[in-house]
Amino acid sequence: MSPRAAWRLESLGFTEVYEYSAGKADWGAFGLPLEGKGTKSVRIKDIARTDVPTCGLADKVGMARQRAAGWDTCIVVNQERVVLGRLFKEQLDGDPGANVGDVMRPGTSTFRPNVNVTEMLEYMDRRHHETSLVTTPDGRLVGLVLREDLERAATPRS
Amino acid sequence: MHRVVDREEVQRLMREGAQVVEVLPREEYAEEHLPGAINIPLKELDAKTASALRKDRPLVVYCHDFQ
């Protein structure tokens, strides 16, 4: 649709026309602000815990455990903060000398920042998940959403 | 000829005062649109509706995604 609009505008005499072909789906998926009546609902980017602990592939599990004090997970990222995997309590409680890259769970599901909290909660209910990772479409870590935060955000305040 | 731009370039153009136009139907625009964007549905895009736009400023058009 936008290519046709761009061509049409050029035919009407506009000389500097740009086409944002990825459109508002891309804009929203990167967590950028939108306007409109649909933006009043809470999105997971609004409640994601951005202070979730992270570690690198080459780190030792013992180091990840220290960083993850008070949490039961540690997110494995590269230097660009792209998510490579995740350590859960089971891995964090394992051999402290093991390499994170050898024990991490690589196939963790991720969700875009503009997902509605109610939809996120329904998904997690179906799969019995307590937490979910939020990343941009290019895989960069935004944060971790917790069930308790989702339930609070999804409940209408009286 | 118009150029396809990505998100970062759209942000730069917006900072520099580009006009942003969503060409989706009114209902979709009302639901969500880029900050400051105006709505000219593609079906209504002609010389009359485009007269609301300035020809001396850059113009960014978009819809939902690659459709």
Side-chain angles (χ1 to χ4, degrees):
Chain A
M1 193 178 277
S2 57
R4 279 179 284 163
W7 283 111
R8 181 74 180 112
L9 286 161
E10 284 177 319
S11 76
L12 293 168
F14 290 86
T15 55
E16 194 176 354
V17 180
Y18 300 91
E19 180 203 344
Y20 178 28
S21 58
K24 65 180 172 184
D26 172 74
W27 189 271
F30 273 90
L32 293 170
L34 289 160
E35 296 174 347
K37 62 186 180 186
T39 59
K40 293 189 176 74
S41 59
V42 183
R43 308 301 169 119
I44 58 175
K45 72 178 168 65
D46 300 322
I47 60 165
R49 302 282 185 106
T50 56
D51 58 344
V52 62
T54 60
C55 59
L57 274 180
D59 290 341
K60 299 293 183 190
V61 166
M63 180 186 290
R65 187 189 303 163
Q66 283 184 341
R67 285 194 196 158
W71 295 75
D72 58 7
T73 190
C74 190
I75 313 304
V76 186
V77 296
N78 67 11
Q79 290 179 332
E80 303 294 321
R81 276 182 72 81
V82 170
V83 173
L84 304 173
R86 184 171 172 182
L87 300 178
F88 291 89
K89 188 172 189 315
E90 181 187 347
Q91 290 83 44
L92 286 169
D93 288 344
D95 175 8
N99 285 321
V100 164
D102 292 335
V103 301
M104 70 175 189
R105 298 285 176 85
T108 186
S109 298
T110 61
F111 301 86
R112 302 293 81 78
N114 59 337
V115 172
N116 180 288
V117 294
T118 306
E119 292 168 9
M120 187 76 257
L121 196 52
E122 287 169 358
Y123 176 91
M124 287 168 62
D125 280 345
R126 288 196 299 274
R127 285 165 176 75
H128 309 290
H129 288 177
E130 292 302 311
T131 61
S132 289
L133 270 178
V134 186
T135 70
T136 57
D138 55 2
R140 287 180 167 77
L141 178 64
V142 173
L144 186 75
V145 283
L146 313 185
R147 169 179 293 280
E148 63 196 73
D149 293 340
L150 286 165
E151 287 174 341
R152 200 175 302 121
T155 304
R157 292 185 177 88
S158 57
Chain B
M1 185 181 149
H2 69 268
R3 192 156 63 81
V4 173
V5 289
D6 63 13
R7 188 180 52 263
E8 279 88 12
E9 200 151 6
V10 172
Q11 290 175 291
R12 180 184 64 76
L13 286 162
M14 289 167 80
R15 283 195 298 272
E16 293 173 359
Q19 307 163 95
V20 183
V21 181
E22 178 169 320
V23 295
L24 289 165
R26 292 183 202 292
E27 309 76 52
E28 292 185 51
Y29 169 84
E31 193 65 22
E32 281 185 342
H33 54 265
L34 267 60
I38 65 164
N39 184 216
I40 305 179
L42 182 61
K43 287 180 179 177
E44 299 173 19
L45 181 56
D46 56 20
K48 186 179 173 193
T49 53
S51 67
L53 302 168
R54 288 177 54 171
K55 290 186 176 172
D56 60 347
R57 281 170 51 191
L59 192 56
V60 178
V61 289
Y62 73 92
C63 54
H64 189 262
D65 53 19
F66 302 93
Q67 46 182 305

